[in-house]
Amino acid sequence: FCFDHQAENAIDPIDLVTVKITLQDVAFIDCNSKNHVGKLVISKSDTRYIHHINIICTIITSLFVNNKSQEPGRAIYAFNIDYVMTKQCNFVKNEARSGGAIYIENLTTLVQVDSVFVANSADKNGGALYAKNIMQIVFINVSFVENVAGKSGGALSLDIVKHTEIIFATMTNNNAGYGGGVSMKHSSFVNISQTIFHNNVAQTKGGSICSLKIQKLTVQNSWLFDGKAKEGAGIYGEDNVLQYIFNCFIMNKNSKAIFGGGMYCWNIHG
């Protein structure tokens, strides 16, 4: 399925057009495509009208299983649109170059609620999801289990996101080069609350959480168990401006850490 909105010359540039897309009870299983990067592609490609077209996409109770490619975002690829929401969706065994299940770039808002990501993989970044240049991302009651990335973010890799909220999430048995659970960099505000990290593994930095150049990172009321990494088996922070960790339980019995069996922070400015 591909939706690529290309505005026609007949559209007055001063008008604002809103396009709403809703998918419910849809299954994408073992799909193959040579022409598009994802099984669900949503984008605005006509840059003349990009600021005059709002695209709102809602995906409910849908299934994405075993979609594979070397291109980004094998289940969902979203580019240059305004709002994407997934609710009660399952993403299982999808594979891609980056964003094993979902690749999003240049979005205003992404919301994920009551969804599950299991055994997705990416050669580079974001075993389950990769996001770049996003205004706001919200995860509520989302589970990430056994996702793998060759480079960053076994479950999530977030790059240049202004505002991130991760609430009531679970990240278990995810694996990456750095950021076994989640990798975040060049972002403004990150809040992780009431979230469980268990047995996430990074080959280098941040078994559960890896944060690089974040303006303000807050981790609160969360549990981090059995993370493994050479530096910061639980949490790794580097070049962050402000970093608040409170009311958290961190226990890594066999962390394999050289520095920071629980947490390692370097060059924190606040």
Side-chain angles (χ1 to χ4, degrees), residues 8 25 27 71 86 91 93 119 139 146 151 203-204 212 220 231 251 258:
E8 299 295 335
D25 299 328
E71 299 297 332
T86 68
F91 301 84
K93 293 185 178 179
F139 299 96
E146 297 181 355
K151 188 176 180 182
Q203 305 308 311
T204 56
L212 308 172
Q220 56 184 321
E231 299 178 6
M251 183 176 70
I258 299 173

Side-chain angles (χ1 to χ4, degrees), residues 7 12-13 15 26 33 43-44 57 60 88 98 112 126 144 160 188 191 199 201 218 246 248 267:
D12 191 330
D15 292 336
V26 179
S33 171
S43 69
K44 290 188 288 190
C57 180
I60 305 171
Q88 297 178 359
S98 285
Q112 293 198 313
F144 300 90
I160 316 177
S188 298
N191 178 51
N199 199 38
V201 178
T218 302
F246 59 93
C248 291
N267 199 29

Side-chain angles (χ1 to χ4, degrees), residues 190-203:
V190 178
N191 178 51
I192 300 174
S193 178
Q194 300 182 74
T195 291
I196 298 173
F197 295 86
H198 179 242
N199 199 38
N200 298 288
V201 178
Q203 305 308 311

Side-chain angles (χ1 to χ4, degrees), residues 107-132:
L107 264 72
T108 303
T109 302
L110 169 71
V111 177
Q112 293 198 313
V113 181
D114 300 335
S115 294
V116 177
F117 293 79
V118 178
N120 301 285
S121 63
D123 293 338
K124 293 185 177 180
N125 306 307
L129 181 146
Y130 176 77
K132 182 178 180 180

Side-chain angles (χ1 to χ4, degrees), residues 37-43 70-81 84 86 91 94-107 110 112 117 121-122 124-134 137 155-159:
V37 287
K39 294 308 142 195
L40 173 60
V41 181
I42 312 153
S43 69
Q70 294 303 309
E71 299 297 332
R74 203 55 202 148
I76 298 175
Y77 176 94
F79 180 77
N80 271 349
I81 69 171
V84 174
T86 68
F91 301 84
N94 300 287
E95 299 178 9
R97 186 172 64 224
S98 285
I102 298 177
Y103 180 101
I104 59 172
E105 185 174 352
N106 297 348
L107 264 72
L110 169 71
Q112 293 198 313
F117 293 79
S121 63
K124 293 185 177 180
N125 306 307
L129 181 146
Y130 176 77
K132 182 178 180 180
N133 196 25
I134 314 296
I137 293 180
L156 301 174
S157 183
L158 311 178
D159 189 3

